[in-house]
Amino acid sequence: MKKKELVHIGTFGQPQGLKGDIKINIFTSSLESFKMLKNFFMEDGKSSWIFKSLRKIGKKNIGSIEACEDRDAALEFKGKHIYTFRENFPKTNNNMYYVVDLIGCKVINMEKESLGKVIDIKNFGAGDLMEIINNGKKTFYIPMNEDNLINVDINKKKILVNPMKGLLD
């Protein structure tokens, strides 16, 4: 199995309570979309987790895993990544991308100069931002809107941008 067949969809956090419940930091759009994936794996793609329950308490996503009956057992999961197979996700339409597809893409400007590569997509409330690291290991953000984002070629792992004036200064 190839690593690109798996998608990192969450990470286990701190145990919650004494009965084996554990916080889950999910990377899907909602807990409901996380639940719809149904198949949850470790990084090897073979070992799986079966959730007895997945629920939201306040702003926290809490899961209960089979064979995890107490806080000590839940603590062993802390920091472990949760994966699913990429084939479990629906196909995307034009101009729609999964974050995992954008990570690692080379970012170039209109003059074909390399600006760096995408290391993450963030959203602080005003829209999606590409977090880019340049060759000098400095990170910066470019908004993912029509003004800045010109073309995304997932197959070539290249993103063409035209950053608004002053954004990179």
Side-chain angles (χ1 to χ4, degrees):
M1 168 176 334
K2 296 176 185 159
K3 176 87 170 159
K4 67 180 184 176
E5 292 176 14
L6 295 174
V7 177
H8 181 197
I9 57 169
T11 302
F12 289 110
Q14 291 285 351
Q16 299 293 302
L18 301 174
K19 297 182 179 179
D21 291 345
I22 190 166
K23 181 180 175 193
I24 302 171
N25 299 312
I26 63 169
F27 304 138
T28 58
S29 59
S30 67
L31 182 60
E32 287 69 35
S33 62
F34 185 89
K35 287 179 184 180
M36 288 187 341
L37 295 171
K38 299 200 187 314
N39 299 312
F40 306 99
F41 298 95
M42 294 181 203
E43 190 169 3
D44 64 10
K46 297 173 186 162
S47 307
S48 64
W49 285 300
I50 298 172
F51 288 97
K52 294 187 286 189
S53 69
L54 287 164
R55 63 196 182 285
K56 193 166 204 71
I57 299 177
K59 292 185 177 188
K60 296 179 183 177
N61 298 300
I62 307 296
S64 178
I65 306 165
E66 278 190 10
C68 185
E69 302 297 329
D70 60 34
R71 185 176 184 84
D72 290 336
L75 194 55
E76 292 181 29
F77 289 97
K78 182 181 174 187
K80 292 191 187 268
H81 294 183
I82 305 166
Y83 293 87
T84 194
F85 290 114
R86 183 176 185 85
E87 65 193 30
N88 292 337
F89 286 90
K91 299 287 184 210
T92 56
N93 295 329
N94 289 342
N95 297 326
M96 293 180 72
Y97 319 98
Y98 289 115
V99 169
V100 69
D101 294 332
L102 299 174
I103 303 297
C105 284
K106 184 177 180 180
V107 180
I108 56 175
N109 64 15
M110 298 298 285
E111 290 78 36
K112 306 291 187 225
E113 299 167 330
S114 176
L115 300 178
K117 69 179 181 177
V118 178
I119 57 172
D120 203 359
I121 305 298
K122 304 276 190 186
N123 189 319
F124 300 108
D128 291 331
L129 302 168
M130 287 188 296
E131 184 176 8
I132 300 164
I133 189 165
N134 66 16
N135 292 337
K137 304 296 182 205
K138 180 180 176 189
T139 61
F140 59 94
Y141 296 98
I142 295 180
M144 293 183 68
N145 58 31
E146 291 178 6
D147 295 331
N148 295 296
L149 195 62
I150 305 303
N151 184 44
V152 176
D153 188 333
I154 294 297
N155 294 327
K156 292 183 180 177
K157 300 289 281 178
K158 286 187 180 180
I159 299 173
L160 179 63
V161 295
N162 188 16
M164 61 183 148
K165 188 173 176 114
L167 191 63
L168 302 180
D169 298 335

